[in-house]
Amino acid sequence: PDAAPLRRGLPVPQGISKTAFLVAIEELRSALGPDHVTLNDKEVKNGWYMEHPNTHDMMPLFDSEEFIASAVVYPGSVEDVKLIVKWANKHLIPLFPISIGRNLGYGGSAPRVRGSVTIDLGRRMNRILEINADDFTCLVEPGVTFYALHEEIQKRGLGDKMWIDTPDLGGGSVVGNTLDRGVGYTPYGDHWACHSGLEVVLPSVGDDGDVSVFRTGMGALGVGGENTWQCFPYGFGPYNDGIFSQSNFGIVTKMGMTLMPNPGGFESFMYTFANESDLAPLIEIIRPLRISNILENVAQLRHGLQTLSVKGHPRTNYYNGSGPMPDPIIRQHLRSTATGECAWVYYGMSYGPAHIRGHKLSIIDNEFHRIPGCKRIDPATLPADEYFWSRDRIASGTPDLEELKWVNWMPNGAHAAFSPVSPIKGADAEKLYGLAKRRHGEQGLDLMPAFCVGLREMHLIVEIVYDGTDMGMKKRVEKCLRDMIDDAAALGYGEYRTHLALMDQVAGTYNWNDNALMKFNNTLKDALDPNGILAPGRCGIWPKRYRNRGWEL
Ligand code: FAD
């Protein structure tokens, strides 16, 4: 259902009475203006992707009212953010910052602690502060989406000169996606590696009653230091940026990002591979090509079922049985599509002028054809609405939304991901694919894996699509995800990113030397956020006030 009244009433955060909370909210309203604080006391309303809610996850893995905000606050400046931090410390109310809140598959805009006050930074802090056409860099606020940055570059007449890198969906925030270490598909696809410089508001109030704001890297220099803030990420002394990604140590109010020079030409290509067993030898072929940059972008090797599902039709169009859709049925339906019958599809792009592309593409063609049954699909044969062209847009820096279509696989389509990282080795790919297949089989779920090949590692992204209103199915999905995380950890693999609901489990797998890493994170958390107000529990990091008190899942 699109909107339903709150069954459990206003989600007041734990540790404060409803009356005291409402008084505190009025105080915040009078400080920021009544329009900039809204109470979440009426309904759970979902929209489509571009009208997503900012109070909860529109693709919930649990009950929609489990991870839900009590109120949303819209700061318009760094001063407003500082004021909100002071207010939260005074009342001990948990805050959850989002930039846009389209973190779908990983918790959307939901806070980890029920009743947190969401800081929606993106609504009002959405300026592109600079696009530097000499250095190919930009400086943005949290509300700048990939679409907005792309449009502004076109508007300034720089579209022929520079590209952005976008994830599969362009409606996310450049800052939010990068802080969660998201990926895109040009050679600048590792967003965290491509950022340069942060401005951060810290979550505590100092002895002087003030809240600290600082800039990392060259941004820390005094007057005039901004000239290299977006060109050199490190500055002098410890490199601090890392502790503000996938964490709850600070609120990022500005971020620098690098932009890619137009390479002077580009050409997408697609190959299909006939057999499931082609996976391991193909990954062995991909590794040296990727490390030596013959394969230049974060490329995708997708299972045939994903190629079918991204057509946007519901599963019932193809199959009505229970349990995972059988391979022969998948293959039968693929026969009438552009890829034809196959097990795997490789999507890639070559960059540069034609003579440079030609050289690289012929090496790739020779190498891929070492797999018997490999087919190159000629793009000239593909209609304009074929998904291939969406990959083509994304890998050349043009935001798109086609990828959303596979979410229609189930009614009330929702999804959550299992995303382990491994070396680019055939044996690793087989082990991860094998365990995913086994666990999906046990829970009767369709398996849609995609290997996203970075430079020296690959992410296996397994998206489980489920009915967001079907509690029974969601229980099976959660069981499947938790089993895969444990199986992978036992084999020495860890996730690069995870859903809010699974963060404790995933953090728990990074437990070398008696959980030394989490002990370090806890030390930082207690030092930087002694009252524990900022995003408690995010990435498994709990402040002292919450730690070991039953919040962990
Ligand atoms: P937000 O939701 O704003 O931020 C993400 C998290 O970072 C927040 O929950 C918060 O904890 C933290 N955060 C955000 N802003 C701040 C801040 N200013 N200070 C401190 N902490 C902050 N993702 C990819 O990376 N690549 C893909 O190719 C991709 N494909 C997808 C395809 C589909 C069909 C779907 C549904 C999702 C896909 N996603 C992908 C996942 C997700 O949609 C994107 O990563 C999206 O960009 C994240 O949402 P956002 O940018 O709005 O970030």
Side-chain angles (χ1 to χ4, degrees):
D2 247 8
L6 284 176
R7 283 174 287 106
R8 296 165 66 181
L10 174 70
V12 178
Q14 193 249 14
I16 184 169
S17 72
K18 183 172 174 182
T19 315
F21 177 70
L22 291 174
V23 169
I25 286 288
E26 278 316 309
E27 185 189 313
L28 192 61
R29 272 207 176 118
S30 55
L32 289 176
D35 294 344
H36 304 321
V37 184
T38 54
L39 211 53
N40 184 27
D41 58 352
K42 293 191 181 56
E43 58 185 11
V44 180
K45 189 171 177 203
N46 293 326
W48 82 290
Y49 176 76
M50 293 307 278
E51 294 157 353
H52 71 290
N54 58 6
T55 45
H56 63 283
D57 188 359
M58 65 187 264
M59 298 182 173
L61 192 53
F62 296 158
D63 180 282
S64 324
E65 293 185 44
E66 201 50 54
F67 292 163
I68 190 166
S70 54
V72 184
V73 50
Y74 302 97
S77 65
V78 175
E79 282 310 309
D80 283 357
V81 176
K82 288 171 63 174
L83 189 149
I84 295 163
V85 166
K86 273 189 215 170
W87 171 84
N89 274 281
K90 176 176 166 196
H91 298 285
L92 296 182
I93 291 174
L95 298 172
F96 194 87
I98 56 171
S99 284
I100 293 286
R102 292 204 174 102
N103 207 7
L104 301 172
Y106 299 104
S109 42
R112 173 63 175 81
V113 164
R114 180 178 151 81
S116 299
V117 171
T118 293
I119 312 179
D120 186 335
L121 291 144
R123 181 77 61 95
R124 296 171 68 210
M125 297 174 72
N126 54 15
R127 289 174 303 164
I128 297 172
L129 298 166
E130 191 184 8
I131 294 177
N132 187 318
D134 296 323
D135 300 334
F136 293 84
T137 60
C138 62
L139 182 67
V140 294
E141 290 188 329
V144 176
T145 62
F146 294 95
Y147 270 111
L149 185 58
H150 181 260
E151 275 163 24
E152 185 61 24
I153 287 173
Q154 310 311 307
K155 214 160 78 191
R156 293 192 193 182
L158 295 169
D160 274 348
K161 188 168 180 183
M162 55 174 62
W163 291 4
I164 66 159
D165 183 281
T166 174
D168 275 334
L169 301 177
S173 151
V174 178
V175 171
N177 178 280
T178 303
L179 290 177
D180 215 23
R181 299 205 287 267
V183 294
Y185 302 92
T186 75
Y188 281 42
D190 179 348
H191 293 165
W192 183 252
C194 290
H195 95 284
S196 185
L198 301 176
E199 180 183 85
V200 186
V201 175
L202 290 177
S204 62
V205 182
D207 294 339
D208 58 356
D210 203 6
V211 170
S212 263
V213 185
F214 82 104
R215 292 181 175 182
T216 65
M218 302 305 280
L221 279 174
V223 180
E226 294 88 350
N227 57 8
T228 36
W229 194 16
Q230 274 62 72
C231 301
F232 182 63
Y234 308 123
F236 181 75
Y239 175 55
N240 311 104
D241 292 45
I243 65 166
F244 298 105
S245 76
Q246 291 195 1
S247 78
N248 48 14
F249 298 153
I251 301 167
V252 173
T253 45
K254 291 182 186 65
M255 189 187 79
M257 195 69 181
T258 48
L259 297 161
M260 178 171 153
N262 181 340
F266 61 90
E267 188 171 342
S268 281
F269 56 90
M270 171 161 78
Y271 285 85
T272 63
F273 299 89
N275 308 303
E276 198 176 88
S277 58
D278 293 336
L279 177 64
L282 180 56
I283 293 288
E284 289 295 316
I285 288 172
I286 289 171
R287 184 182 59 256
L289 294 178
R290 184 71 187 96
I291 293 178
S292 58
N293 239 1
I294 299 293
L295 291 169
E296 296 162 273
N297 64 338
V298 177
Q300 290 221 10
L301 181 64
R302 294 184 163 211
H303 191 272
L305 183 56
Q306 238 184 2
T307 297
L308 204 58
S309 63
V310 85
K311 301 222 163 281
H313 306 300
R315 175 189 209 257
T316 45
N317 262 32
Y318 305 101
Y319 185 62
N320 268 313
S322 58
M325 195 160 144
D327 269 348
I329 307 274
I330 300 172
R331 298 179 81 100
Q332 174 205 323
H333 288 294
L334 281 172
R335 241 174 261 154
S336 56
T337 70
T339 59
E341 186 181 332
C342 64
W344 302 101
V345 187
Y346 186 99
Y347 296 93
M349 182 175 273
S350 181
Y351 299 88
H355 63 286
I356 293 179
R357 293 199 308 266
H359 179 65
K360 290 179 285 195
L361 287 169
S362 73
I363 297 175
I364 294 164
D365 196 61
N366 283 337
E367 287 297 303
F368 280 8
H369 273 104
R370 283 168 49 204
I371 309 276
C374 158
K375 278 195 199 131
R376 177 178 171 272
I377 310 289
D378 180 359
T381 65
L382 299 173
D385 63 353
E386 174 60 39
Y387 171 71
F388 172 88
W389 297 115
S390 171
R391 291 246 63 82
D392 183 67
R393 286 188 285 279
I394 288 165
S396 55
T398 303
D400 205 37
L401 291 178
E402 282 286 298
E403 192 71 17
L404 263 178
K405 284 186 169 174
W406 52 251
V407 181
N408 294 341
W409 192 242
M410 299 300 295
N412 308 302
H415 71 100
F418 165 60
S419 322
V421 178
S422 78
I424 314 170
K425 297 257 170 63
D428 295 299
E430 271 186 340
K431 278 192 235 171
L432 287 169
Y433 179 57
L435 74 85
K437 197 167 180 179
R438 190 172 67 253
R439 293 304 190 180
H440 277 65
E442 285 169 9
Q443 300 305 330
L445 300 165
D446 289 329
L447 172 59
M448 297 190 197
F451 289 92
C452 296
V453 185
L455 200 59
R456 287 179 172 76
E457 58 73 39
M458 58 189 178
H459 299 9
L460 165 60
I461 311 284
V462 178
E463 296 287 6
I464 309 185
V465 186
Y466 56 91
D467 179 341
T469 63
D470 181 339
M471 288 308 287
M473 185 173 198
K474 292 203 279 190
K475 284 249 172 300
R476 286 187 286 129
V477 171
E478 187 191 351
K479 172 88 174 106
C480 183
L481 288 164
R482 290 200 184 278
D483 285 345
M484 290 191 294
I485 292 166
D486 283 345
D487 291 349
L491 294 168
Y493 305 109
E495 276 61 42
Y496 96 101
R497 185 178 180 188
T498 199
H499 191 282
L500 270 187
L502 307 169
M503 285 179 172
D504 293 311
Q505 186 187 359
V506 168
T509 64
Y510 285 80
N511 57 4
W512 181 78
N513 197 17
D514 194 20
N515 293 303
L517 177 64
M518 187 49 81
K519 286 177 186 164
F520 176 70
N521 286 335
N522 286 342
T523 305
L524 289 177
K525 183 67 180 165
D526 293 340
L528 294 172
D529 184 12
N531 286 328
I533 53 105
L534 191 63
R538 180 160 160 73
C539 290
I541 304 164
W542 291 97
K544 206 177 249 167
R545 202 152 66 84
Y546 292 75
R547 201 174 299 145
N548 302 322
R549 294 193 179 158
W551 288 90
E552 294 85 355
L553 286 173

